[in-house]
Amino acid sequence: MTTLSIYNQNQPETAHTVTSDPQVIRDTLSEQGVRFEQWPTRDLPADADQERILAVYGEEIDGLKQECGFQTADVVSLTPDHPQKSELRKKFLDEHTHSEDEVRFFVRGQGLFYLHFGDQVYAVMCQKNDLISVPNGTRHWFDMGAEPEFTCIRLFTNPEGWVASFTGEDIAAQIPRYEALAGVKA
């Protein structure tokens, strides 16, 4: 289930707000400039490749490209048997920013975006059919868990793709990780 949990960075062990109401999530994130939508998903075979996924969601991708100026789209997919899952998880777990919006549409599975605004951290558990657009310059990180299971469409204005600028802050280590928020045993 898609959820939003909000933490005070000075009391990171417990969320002071938790909701799974999509409209509340959308409105709360919108106040911070974050776009959140839920789109209908389509049935795809488990082994659908990037070309097939991009073709099936071509209308939505083209709409976002026209609206927001995105130049490229690709698909990232991780499963529990991925040989580099630990390295990839670690890569995204430190707080960072981007010089462009970070846009993800979850075709299957789930992942956890953490967004750092002032002294608050918003943890957004995104699921199949969730679109999130994190504005450029927003301090954030992503946790896919130790056993990742997701497929996302990513859109970029920079043809080079994912380029991060790490903040060097340790806030990401203080807020509960994916396993705690997803109810997964570590």
Side-chain angles (χ1 to χ4, degrees), residues 25-36 115 117 124 131-135 138:
I25 294 170
R26 180 178 354 225
D27 293 347
T28 303
L29 293 175
S30 179
E31 291 170 5
Q32 299 296 333
V34 176
R35 179 178 186 167
F36 176 82
L115 314 170
F117 301 108
V124 187
L131 170 85
I132 189 167
S133 179
V134 179
T138 301

Side-chain angles (χ1 to χ4, degrees), residues 74-157:
D74 70 7
V75 174
V76 61
S77 186
L78 287 171
T79 59
D81 61 350
H82 193 286
Q84 294 178 309
K85 65 184 179 185
S86 296
E87 293 86 3
L88 289 168
R89 182 185 191 192
K90 185 176 180 346
K91 175 180 178 179
F92 302 122
L93 273 179
D94 289 329
E95 184 181 71
H96 59 276
T97 63
H98 301 285
S99 62
E100 67 177 313
D101 294 355
E102 182 164 346
V103 181
R104 302 291 181 268
F105 174 66
F106 283 77
V107 174
R108 70 172 180 83
Q110 67 181 19
L112 187 55
F113 274 93
Y114 295 85
L115 314 170
H116 188 182
F117 301 108
D119 65 351
Q120 303 290 302
V121 175
Y122 291 53
V124 187
M125 180 66 77
C126 293
Q127 306 261 332
K128 178 180 177 179
N129 91 338
D130 290 344
L131 170 85
I132 189 167
S133 179
V134 179
N136 70 48
T138 301
R139 295 180 299 164
H140 69 282
W141 62 96
F142 179 75
D143 191 355
M144 62 183 105
E147 300 296 319
E149 186 71 49
F150 71 90
T151 300
C152 287
I153 296 173
R154 308 183 303 175
L155 291 113
F156 301 100
T157 54

